[in-house]
Amino acid sequence: MTARLALLAPLAYLAIFFIYPLGAIFERAFIQGEGGFAGFGTLLGDSYYLGRIWFTTWQAAASTALTLAVGLPMAYLFARHDFPGKSLLKAVSTLPFIMPTIVVAMGFVALLGREGLANTLLMAVFPFDDPPIRLANSIWIILLAHAFYNYAIFVRIVSAFWSNVAPQLEESAAMLGAGRVRTFRHVTLPVLLPAIASSAALAFAFCFTSFGVVLVLGGPQFATLEVAVYELTAKLLRLELAAALAIIQMVFTYLFLLAYTRLQASSAVPLNLAPQEATARRPKRAIDVVFVVALVALLLVVLSPLWALVERALSTADGYSLRYFGSLLEDVRGDIFYLPLQNIVGNSLRFGVAATAIALTIGAAAAYYISRPGRRGASAADALLMMPLGVSAVIMGFGFLVAFNRDPIDLRATSIILIIAHTLVAYPFVIRSVLPAMRGMPQNLREAASVMGASPAQGFFHVELPILTPALIVGATFAFAVSMGEFGASLLLVRPESTTMPVAIFRMIAQPGAENLGRALAMSTVLMLVVAAVFAAIERFRYRSAGGF
Amino acid sequence: MARNLALLTLALLLVLAMAACGDDDAGTPTEPTRPVSQPAPTAAPAPTAAPAPTPIPPDANNELVIMSHDSFNIGEDVIAAFEAANDATVVLLPAGDTGLALNRAILEKGNPSADLFYGVDNTYLGRALAEGIFVPYESPGLANVPEQFIMDPSFHVTPIDYGYVNLNYDKAFLEAEGLQPPSSLEELTESQWKGSLVVENPATSSPGLAFLIATVSYFGEDDDYDYLDYWADLRANDVAITDGWSDAYYTNFTKYGGDQPLVVSYATSPAAEFFFSETPLDDAPTGNILLDRSVFLQIEGMGVLLGADSPNLARKFIDFALDLQFQEDFPDKMFVYPVNRNATLPDFWRFAEEPAVPADIGPAEIGEKREAWIEAWTQVMLR
């Protein structure tokens, strides 16, 4: 019964803040519009749109595979090794997730562009006449950027889970004579599968509904469904087509997620879980040290577009200086929209903390219900709760404007609407982060605690919570990151006094001139610093279990 | 209100049903079912012809909310002057780029978030008028505005500023390559400019649409060599296409490390480059390519929204926006020209040149054919 109640809050949230605004915009599109449901026929009879569905699907699959290939080694690094600077590196590794696409695109240009670092190096070493790397507006840059954006999902979710898995299993396999590769294939991988699948589902959903990357880095010739929906909604105002396409996109997302949640539910195995302090080791042998150093180096290379941005934010005509950062603090030109940097950072942080708190509550409650064994319909509920990831931000934003526009709930002039929108895309991450650990939780732990005389609450706080902490931390990290980086809905719903960092960045580069670019890059650097600091603070938040294991 | 409540109840019931039977995983849970009774929309359709004069209702409050696109910018002191003179509070509400902001206003027709909308240009005017989101107002300030800028003779939208969309080039890059800036649109299809031009997608960008319209004006629609033939040749010559102005300018333009030395931007961009440069310059680093009949004149205006809380204050603001204090303040913030013929321009404005003969297509024709042009362009360029 409590489990049933635990599902009530997330579903009510979903109904009021997701299905209702969507219903409102769909009603506007199909029922108030003249065309009715003819849009579906138009779209499904158009080879262009059918092609979009196909392209969207395969680029998402390819991107997810590449993301996995980059993310898994890093997950291993963080799960099984302890080294100086680990927590800082962990915080930094998740930064790509929050960066506005246009800024990341500039980072890519600085590295891989015509005069970028990579080409300059290659041309210095080899006798090339022309820059050898030509990635601009190609499918490769889309896949690379998706891997860059989403590898952190694998790193965080898989490493949190991995660090809970007691190493005895692997050690036993090694004792029995299995080599490293065999041990990984037959012991480690099957154990990690729930967490890997969980991250893959998130990464796939993200790449499937990718928008900024495709538009800014790939260029308009690589339109995905999301891009088509955006054009039809934001630019052409063909709501009847936009809504039909959005529904087609949602159906696909739902089917993918349903297939995945079913698979997921049947593959969970209870595990021998241990707190992570007990599982990470300092590298002792030389080969381990080399391995760790190599992985850290690789991580720094993956993050290089971000370093390039910081470098550009600091370079001014007279060498390196903090001039652009200074210009964020003072209003030199007296324009009406100027907000001091501390206000903008404050807004972002306020929304981020509020959205994270709500997302953690909702996500953890939902995961608790879904993880109980033998729940009928749990997979369907799980897939349904993931749906906010499958809907275009601009459709969602319009839905909010149409749905919450009359007293008593005219939310259009409040910041609440923004927090609600952020929470909607944040809580699915909490569910995906927490679920593998909840599913793997052995029943006998709690029973043992009761036998020893612990109350259910004591059992929860001293037995389950320490085991769930890494997963909850990952969930909170992503919820916060999603809120800090969210831009699509923010642009529609933000008020001048509640401008967030990504919105401010976009406003700055809407104007020509080196000064505007410099300020935008400085603001991006501030965004990275603030978020990295919060990530590090979240990591510090450990529930110290009294006894340990 | 009743409709919203019905929908909300429906959404709640749907989800609770799912939770209650727990087994229900068929179908997609998102299709709204048709509500039984449909009250008519509350807003009355706005007249599109010259309206009979109706008395303006008194203002509900002395707060003026102005919705605009993201590029709107004005001095704090100017807004303060209006507030003091009218004992009012002004709230500014940027709502995305030109297309998105206007679409939001259309979506909220009759129950707007704002009283006044700033940022309808002559490429979107047709849509705004057809949707009837504005009420007409003929400001006395229009006496100082040259005839060519009065884009809406029905006065639903009052012109405030204008600018030109044209090609910019990177001076240093062309000099290093030993190239002269192109002297005609046709020249851009020749081999020396292969892969040298970046344009914005007209479906998603307002300068992109403006440049497309300029090519329609220049090459015509059904000549032996029409605008689509020209675009096909540009495509064969590796023209780069971006989603919006920012990515074209800051990631594709050679001035910022990209691959293309020619970009579709504004005639005032070189002046902005000069104004925002890090070190004092004696010349702008980029230049304009102003070719007769291939430059698009973009006029922007304001309109009072239907259903505004403060319709009188909104009209006062339109008068104020046509006055010199407002008109002389925004050029170095938005990099557009004031429509008031008596306004003086800042000194660095000398780098912003005006073309002799802009492209000649009126807002009515644009409103009628815009979507067809975009569709045809998309077929030729992206599919």
Side-chain angles (χ1 to χ4, degrees):
Chain A
M1 193 59 230
T2 44
R4 184 63 39 109
L5 279 176
L7 188 62
L8 216 61
L11 284 183
Y13 192 92
L14 194 72
I16 299 169
F17 297 124
F18 179 66
I19 295 178
Y20 164 57
L22 272 184
I25 197 84
F26 290 162
E27 187 237 7
R28 174 72 64 102
F30 298 127
I31 292 162
Q32 290 182 38
E34 282 138 42
F37 292 93
F40 287 98
T42 313
L43 294 173
L44 294 171
D46 185 333
S47 64
Y48 172 75
Y49 288 106
L50 293 174
R52 294 305 95 203
I53 296 176
W54 168 236
F55 171 72
T56 307
T57 310
W58 80 252
Q59 69 78 24
S63 298
T64 307
L66 188 63
T67 309
L68 175 73
V70 177
L72 215 48
M74 304 288 170
Y76 173 69
L77 171 72
F78 286 123
R80 282 289 186 252
H81 297 282
D82 217 347
F83 49 90
K86 178 178 169 179
S87 47
L88 176 69
L89 203 59
K90 209 173 178 178
V92 172
S93 73
T94 315
L95 287 182
F97 208 74
I98 49 140
M99 298 306 287
T101 334
I102 179 86
V103 180
V104 168
M106 289 179 205
F108 272 88
V109 168
L111 283 172
L112 303 170
R114 193 175 44 83
E115 298 167 342
L117 187 65
N119 278 325
T120 316
L121 282 176
L122 285 171
M123 287 170 78
V125 178
F126 302 103
F128 287 113
D129 290 338
D130 287 320
I133 300 181
R134 276 287 165 97
L135 286 175
N137 298 30
S138 70
I139 185 72
W140 296 109
I141 196 107
I142 294 180
L143 299 185
L144 272 178
H146 279 158
F148 169 80
Y149 262 101
N150 298 320
Y151 85 103
I153 298 176
F154 283 96
V155 173
R156 301 305 289 257
I157 292 182
V158 175
S159 81
F161 187 73
W162 205 335
S163 65
N164 272 342
V165 176
Q168 284 84 342
L169 265 181
E170 292 150 24
E171 285 161 7
S172 320
M175 299 270 281
L176 293 169
R180 280 193 159 206
V181 176
R182 260 192 80 184
T183 307
F184 182 78
R185 269 202 45 199
H186 296 287
V187 179
T188 318
L189 202 56
V191 168
L192 294 181
L193 213 50
I196 293 176
S198 211
S199 332
L202 272 179
F204 186 87
F206 251 64
C207 298
F208 190 80
T209 56
S210 170
F211 170 68
V213 167
V214 175
L215 215 44
V216 174
L217 283 160
Q221 57 272 45
F222 292 106
T224 52
L225 285 177
E226 182 89 2
V227 171
V229 170
Y230 163 77
E231 281 186 18
L232 290 168
T233 312
K235 306 293 174 172
L236 304 173
L237 205 64
R238 300 288 301 277
L239 274 187
E240 74 292 354
L241 286 180
L245 199 57
I247 288 176
I248 291 171
Q249 190 187 19
M250 284 166 73
V251 170
F252 269 86
T253 315
Y254 185 74
L255 292 176
F256 288 135
L257 290 170
L258 192 63
Y260 149 81
T261 51
R262 291 236 158 132
L263 200 75
Q264 185 64 340
S266 60
S267 73
V269 278
L271 295 166
N272 176 15
L273 295 178
Q276 58 182 21
E277 289 80 3
T279 61
R281 321 248 149 127
R282 291 239 159 190
K284 288 198 190 70
R285 295 179 308 166
I287 176 111
D288 286 334
V289 175
V290 169
F291 182 71
V292 167
V293 169
L295 278 179
V296 170
L298 179 63
L299 181 58
L300 294 177
V301 169
V302 169
L303 292 171
S304 53
L306 300 182
W307 313 142
L309 288 179
V310 176
E311 195 268 337
R312 272 180 87 175
L314 291 167
S315 14
T316 57
D318 26 3
Y320 289 122
S321 92
L322 289 171
R323 208 164 58 77
Y324 291 133
F325 291 82
S327 74
L328 295 174
L329 292 166
E330 52 167 343
D331 181 13
V332 277
R333 307 174 56 223
D335 67 60
I336 187 83
F337 288 111
Y338 173 79
L339 259 192
L341 177 65
Q342 58 272 25
N343 295 29
I344 298 177
V345 173
N347 287 336
S348 270
L349 281 172
R350 268 207 318 279
F351 297 147
V353 169
T356 306
I358 304 172
L360 270 180
T361 315
I362 292 178
Y368 176 75
Y369 172 85
I370 296 166
S371 72
R372 298 295 102 181
R375 284 277 159 217
R376 294 162 64 209
S379 303
D382 189 1
L384 177 68
L385 284 163
M386 295 284 288
M387 284 311 290
L389 293 183
V391 180
S392 163
V394 71
I395 287 265
M396 220 51 238
F398 273 15
F400 274 52
L401 292 173
V402 177
F404 302 116
N405 66 351
R406 297 245 192 273
D407 288 332
I409 40 168
D410 193 341
L411 295 178
R412 291 180 301 180
T414 67
S415 302
I416 299 170
I417 201 165
L418 208 60
I419 295 168
I420 289 168
H422 287 190
T423 307
L424 213 49
V425 276
Y427 81 78
F429 281 87
V430 179
I431 296 181
R432 295 271 72 84
S433 309
V434 177
L435 204 53
M438 279 196 178
R439 280 215 172 103
M441 184 85 65
Q443 284 292 310
N444 57 9
L445 278 184
R446 173 167 271 221
E447 285 155 14
S450 327
V451 169
M452 309 278 239
S455 68
Q458 279 177 315
F460 175 76
F461 278 106
H462 291 288
V463 178
E464 289 179 321
L465 196 57
I467 290 177
L468 290 179
T469 299
L472 284 169
I473 283 178
V474 172
T477 303
F478 274 117
F480 184 77
V482 165
S483 170
M484 290 300 268
E486 206 287 331
F487 161 72
S490 300
L491 198 60
L492 267 177
L493 305 171
V494 80
R495 316 261 312 170
E497 67 279 5
S498 61
T499 297
T500 59
M501 286 190 269
V503 173
I505 291 167
F506 270 82
R507 300 243 162 99
M508 286 167 191
I509 51 170
Q511 297 202 346
E515 182 79 28
N516 291 315
L517 179 62
R519 292 173 69 222
L521 293 173
M523 181 64 90
S524 307
T525 309
V526 173
L527 177 62
M528 285 190 244
L529 286 172
V530 169
V531 173
V534 173
F535 284 170
I538 294 178
E539 288 290 331
R540 283 262 166 285
F541 183 80
R542 284 261 177 276
Y543 180 81
R544 295 277 166 216
S545 66
F549 282 74
Chain B
M1 183 68 223
R3 200 174 66 232
N4 282 7
L5 267 181
L7 268 169
L8 186 57
T9 319
L10 206 72
L12 275 170
L13 282 176
L14 199 101
V15 160
L16 290 180
M18 277 214 42
C21 59
D23 202 8
D24 167 39
D25 45 15
T28 53
T30 46
E31 295 238 5
T33 39
R34 185 186 284 268
V36 186
S37 65
Q38 280 282 336
T42 43
T48 40
T54 43
I56 301 164
D59 289 0
N61 53 40
N62 55 356
E63 181 185 73
L64 177 71
V65 185
I66 306 174
M67 198 195 291
S68 70
H69 56 57
D70 279 338
S71 308
F72 178 50
N73 206 342
I74 191 76
E76 220 165 344
D77 50 333
V78 178
I79 295 292
F82 177 83
E83 288 178 324
N86 295 284
D87 186 24
T89 324
V90 174
V91 178
L92 297 172
L93 191 61
D97 58 28
T98 307
L100 190 60
L102 180 66
N103 288 349
R104 173 176 171 175
I106 290 170
L107 205 65
E108 296 183 335
K109 179 184 167 178
N111 177 24
S113 298
D115 303 299
L116 195 60
F117 185 91
Y118 167 80
V120 189
D121 67 12
N122 44 339
T123 62
Y124 278 106
L125 180 68
R127 179 186 296 176
L129 294 181
E131 296 282 354
I133 55 171
F134 296 120
V135 292
Y137 172 59
E138 189 174 353
S139 169
L142 287 171
N144 299 318
V145 177
E147 192 61 37
Q148 73 196 84
F149 299 127
I150 313 258
M151 55 176 167
D152 175 21
S154 72
F155 303 111
H156 287 81
V157 175
T158 308
I160 303 294
D161 63 77
Y162 67 96
Y164 296 97
V165 174
N166 55 273
L167 297 176
N168 283 188
Y169 66 98
D170 178 352
K171 284 182 180 171
F173 186 91
L174 259 54
E175 205 165 305
E177 298 279 315
L179 290 164
Q180 288 299 315
S183 57
S184 68
L185 284 183
E186 289 87 344
E187 195 187 310
L188 294 170
T189 63
E190 292 168 12
S191 60
Q192 75 266 33
W193 298 112
K194 195 170 181 68
S196 300
L197 169 66
V198 56
V199 302
E200 298 88 358
N201 179 357
T204 51
S205 154
S206 104
L209 177 58
F211 185 65
L212 169 62
I213 296 171
T215 61
V216 174
S217 152
Y218 187 89
F219 291 102
E221 287 180 89
D222 35 26
D223 300 272
D224 287 345
Y225 184 89
D226 67 9
Y227 77 107
L228 290 174
D229 296 318
Y230 176 68
W231 279 102
D233 285 347
L234 280 183
R235 183 176 185 172
N237 213 19
D238 288 345
V239 63
I241 303 164
T242 65
D243 160 58
W245 178 87
S246 295
D247 30 341
Y249 203 82
Y250 285 121
T251 69
N252 284 69
F253 193 30
T254 47
K255 168 102 181 46
Y256 291 97
D259 292 336
Q260 283 83 25
L262 308 175
V263 58
V264 170
S265 188
Y266 298 90
T268 47
S269 302
E273 281 291 346
F274 177 83
F275 183 77
F276 284 115
S277 86
E278 295 184 65
T279 44
L281 300 173
D282 35 19
D283 193 10
T286 61
N288 281 315
I289 301 169
L290 300 169
L291 306 166
D292 275 356
R293 291 191 306 119
S294 57
V295 171
F296 185 80
L297 166 65
Q298 195 174 30
I299 307 165
E300 265 189 330
M302 272 182 194
V304 181
L305 287 160
L306 177 78
D309 286 339
S310 311
N312 301 290
L313 208 50
R315 285 166 171 78
K316 281 183 187 154
F317 195 89
I318 290 184
D319 299 348
F320 176 77
L322 286 170
D323 244 354
L324 289 182
Q325 184 185 9
F326 191 97
Q327 290 275 310
E328 289 177 352
D329 182 78
F330 64 65
D332 69 0
K333 297 191 175 65
M334 292 198 276
F335 292 90
V336 286
Y337 294 82
V339 291
N340 185 324
R341 63 165 68 90
N342 306 322
T344 30
L345 288 162
D347 167 60
F348 66 87
W349 209 254
R350 63 182 183 277
F351 297 108
E353 308 148 89
E354 296 202 49
V357 188
D360 181 32
I361 291 193
E365 191 183 350
I366 294 172
E368 201 179 311
K369 296 182 179 168
R370 181 186 55 227
E371 303 220 347
W373 290 330
I374 292 175
E375 182 56 34
W377 182 94
T378 306
Q379 288 289 355
V380 169
M381 300 304 287
L382 300 176
R383 295 186 187 175

